[in-house]
Amino acid sequence: MLWFLFGGNILLIISLYMYLAERKEKWRPSSFIMNAIMTPVTLFALCTGFLFTYIHPGFLIETSIAAGVLGLSCGLLFGSLFNFDSAMTGACNGLMAGIMTPMLGEMAGRSPIFLVFTQLLFYLLLYYFRFGARLP
């Protein structure tokens, strides 16, 4: 069941990337650009780290590396929409979030409420970036 949730997260992050890629020339404020780079990347790495912690309990190093690599690649993907500095910012943010979240998941005791909360937060903010942010 959790693997389907992980696959759904990947599909949502790819669809958001495709939406933002086709609208990137219409962005004006730089604060929205940094939020569009850092927020989905951090939340994707956060949800990935928690899901890997729940799927493979006891493999803290392996789940940290896998979540860090996925966060890094997602950060490079979203940051590459703009320039090299944005790509490096997204990659560092995704890597740090991906490495830290399996440890946070273990500290939380693999609570299902915590997993549901982070998934709902991920969906809510992706919904905002897709439908709430009015790009001209």
Side-chain angles (χ1 to χ4, degrees):
M1 175 64 187
L2 293 176
W3 285 105
F4 291 119
L5 195 59
F6 175 65
N9 287 349
I10 288 178
L11 287 175
L12 283 174
I13 208 77
I14 288 172
S15 65
L16 179 68
Y17 172 78
M18 290 174 22
Y19 172 75
L20 293 177
E22 71 184 24
R23 300 222 186 317
K24 80 173 187 178
E25 67 274 352
K26 296 180 181 178
W27 292 347
R28 286 175 285 194
S30 63
S31 62
F32 181 77
I33 291 172
M34 288 307 290
N35 284 333
I37 292 168
M38 294 174 68
T39 305
V41 170
T42 304
L43 286 173
F44 176 70
L46 184 81
C47 290
T48 301
F50 287 143
L51 284 172
F52 285 171
T53 303
Y54 285 80
I55 293 171
H56 304 291
F59 294 99
L60 186 63
I61 294 172
E62 291 85 358
T63 56
S64 294
I65 291 171
V69 167
L70 283 171
L72 176 95
S73 61
C74 184
L76 283 174
L77 184 72
F78 274 84
S80 67
L81 286 172
F82 303 102
N83 55 22
F84 180 75
D85 295 336
S86 299
M88 290 308 296
T89 300
C92 291
N93 198 18
L95 179 68
M96 289 307 294
I99 286 177
M100 295 297 171
T101 52
M103 290 179 253
L104 183 61
E106 289 290 331
M107 294 288 291
R110 293 190 294 273
S111 171
I113 295 171
F114 200 50
L115 179 66
V116 168
F117 172 72
T118 56
Q119 287 292 321
L120 288 176
L121 186 67
F122 179 64
Y123 296 148
L124 180 72
L125 286 174
L126 287 187
Y127 180 81
Y128 168 74
F129 274 114
R130 173 61 180 89
F131 297 109
R134 297 287 179 213
L135 299 176

